[in-house]
């Protein structure tokens, strides 16, 4: 069974779709998948679907939604794709898990029992952790490869066709932040591998989508400078400074200024950007 959350919601087993058409069961499936192998409390599920003031019928309705999801699981497990009661069968090989084992009732909540590799968002997080660890270990080839694999799992905005209640909104924001962090780190690794020409177009597009994100502007400056286009790097700096002053009333961070000075002096821009960062760079995601 595989569930995809990094884009539109998609879930299937052996080609049999599992995703319900109604909005509220989709929210429940998405939240359970994001917390696969962990118990999601009934209170959290109800808050996600109905907000802070659920109706008195909410517990019963939630049970109905869970039964509907199990029915779809059962249809996928028996391979028929038909939403019918389970049929006794004796398939060859080891016994297969039942719908109640995959979507289990626990004390105070429900638990979806799937491996991390079966949920694209969880696989993204695993690959991202490994990629960041490789970067911190100065293994740029491995970091760039793992982070590229993680980013390739995205097919669009997370849960693009699922309503977002309180909990899914938090999870989607977290995933999108992690995606941007992985993208920034992957580009940084590519620059350290001398791939500045390969990432220039990508960085120009990202600058347009995130005009207040200092780190992305800095990486664009580095790429221009490495490509022998220092004038374009300085234009990128002036554009960032103008946007920060106009939108936030702020000057660029000391780290960006250090990079700016390195470009002006014709020094190693990447080394200047990798230097100490006592004040920290701002990474606003407006755009």
């Amino acid at each position: 069974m595989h569930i995809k959350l990094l884009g539109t919601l998609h879930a299937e087993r052996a080609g049999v779709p599992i995703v319900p058409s109604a909005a509220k069961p989709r929210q429940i499936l998405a939240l359970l998948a994001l917390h696969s192998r962990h118990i999601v409390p009934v209170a959290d599920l109800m808050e996600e679907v109905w907000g802070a003031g659920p109706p008195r019928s909410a517990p019963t309705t939630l049970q109905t939604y869970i039964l509907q999801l199990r029915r779809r699981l059962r249809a996928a497990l028996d391979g028929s794709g038909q939403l019918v009661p389970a049929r006794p069968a004796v398939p060859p090989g080891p016994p297969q898990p039942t719908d109640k084992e995959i979507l289990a009732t626990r004390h105070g909540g429900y638990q979806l029992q799937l491996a991390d590799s079966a949920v694209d968002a969880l696989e993204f997080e695993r690959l991202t952790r490994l990629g960041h660890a490789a970067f911190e270990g100065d293994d740029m080839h491995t970091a760039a490869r793992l982070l590229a694999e993680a980013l390739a799992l995205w097919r669009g905005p997370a849960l693009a066709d699922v309503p977002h209640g309180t909990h899914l909104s938090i999870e989607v924001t977290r995933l999108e932040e992690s995606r941007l962090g992985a993208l920034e780190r992957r580009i940084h690794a590519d620059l350290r591998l001398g791939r500045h020409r390969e990432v220039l177009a990508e960085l120009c597009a990202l600058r347009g989508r995130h005009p207040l994100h200092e780190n992305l502007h800095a990486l664009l400056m580095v790429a221009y400078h490495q490509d022998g286009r220092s004038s374009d790097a300085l234009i990128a700096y002036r554009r960032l400074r103008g946007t920060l002053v106009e939108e936030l009333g702020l000057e660029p961070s000391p780290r960006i200024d250090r990079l700016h000075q390195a470009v002006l002096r014709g020094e190693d821009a990447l080394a200047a950007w990798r230097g100490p960062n006592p004040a920290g760079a701002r990474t606003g995601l407006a755009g």
Side-chain angles (χ1 to χ4, degrees), residues 169-188:
S169 293
I170 293 171
E171 293 296 330
V172 166
T173 299
R174 178 182 61 81
L175 284 168
E176 294 288 354
E177 290 275 4
S178 182
R179 179 189 190 183
L180 192 57
L183 181 58
E184 178 191 326
R185 184 58 73 80
R186 193 226 80 215
I187 292 173
H188 194 164

Side-chain angles (χ1 to χ4, degrees), residues 61-251:
T61 306
L62 176 61
Q63 290 177 351
T64 300
Y65 292 152
I66 294 294
L67 290 174
Q68 291 174 358
L69 290 173
R70 283 181 176 152
R71 191 180 180 194
R72 289 184 171 275
L73 279 170
R74 190 183 310 143
L77 290 169
D78 73 13
S80 69
Q82 301 298 315
L83 303 183
V84 296
R87 299 192 300 259
V90 186
Q96 298 297 310
T98 67
D99 56 288
K100 290 185 178 180
E101 290 171 335
I102 295 176
L103 179 47
T105 301
R106 302 299 187 207
H107 179 69
Y110 297 95
Q111 183 179 24
L112 193 63
Q113 303 267 40
L114 293 176
D116 287 358
S117 58
V119 182
D120 63 352
L122 302 182
E123 179 66 2
F124 165 75
E125 291 176 342
R126 184 187 72 85
L127 290 169
T128 298
R129 286 194 299 270
L130 293 174
H132 286 310
F135 187 96
E136 297 297 336
D138 209 33
D139 184 351
M140 295 301 112
H141 284 95
T142 300
R145 176 179 58 81
L146 288 170
L147 293 170
E149 289 178 15
L151 293 164
L153 294 172
W154 287 75
R155 298 167 292 112
L159 296 172
D161 59 346
V162 177
H164 299 167
T166 300
H167 296 274
L168 284 183
S169 293
I170 293 171
E171 293 296 330
V172 166
T173 299
R174 178 182 61 81
L175 284 168
E176 294 288 354
E177 290 275 4
S178 182
R179 179 189 190 183
L180 192 57
L183 181 58
E184 178 191 326
R185 184 58 73 80
R186 193 226 80 215
I187 292 173
H188 194 164
D190 281 336
L191 288 174
R192 290 182 61 181
L193 292 169
R195 300 170 181 168
H196 45 276
R197 292 183 179 174
E198 289 91 328
V199 300
L200 264 172
E202 183 180 16
L203 281 167
C204 286
L206 288 169
R207 175 183 62 180
R209 290 199 291 270
H210 305 286
L212 299 179
H213 197 297
E214 283 194 352
N215 288 359
L216 292 176
H217 282 73
L219 294 175
L220 177 61
M221 290 172 63
V222 170
Y224 275 138
H225 190 62
Q226 287 183 332
D227 199 41
R229 299 166 61 181
S230 297
S231 59
D232 286 323
L234 296 174
I235 291 171
Y237 171 81
R238 287 196 295 271
R239 180 174 175 176
L240 170 63
R241 182 179 181 276
T243 302
L244 289 173
V245 171
E246 180 179 352
E247 296 291 333
L248 303 177
L250 296 174
E251 291 287 339

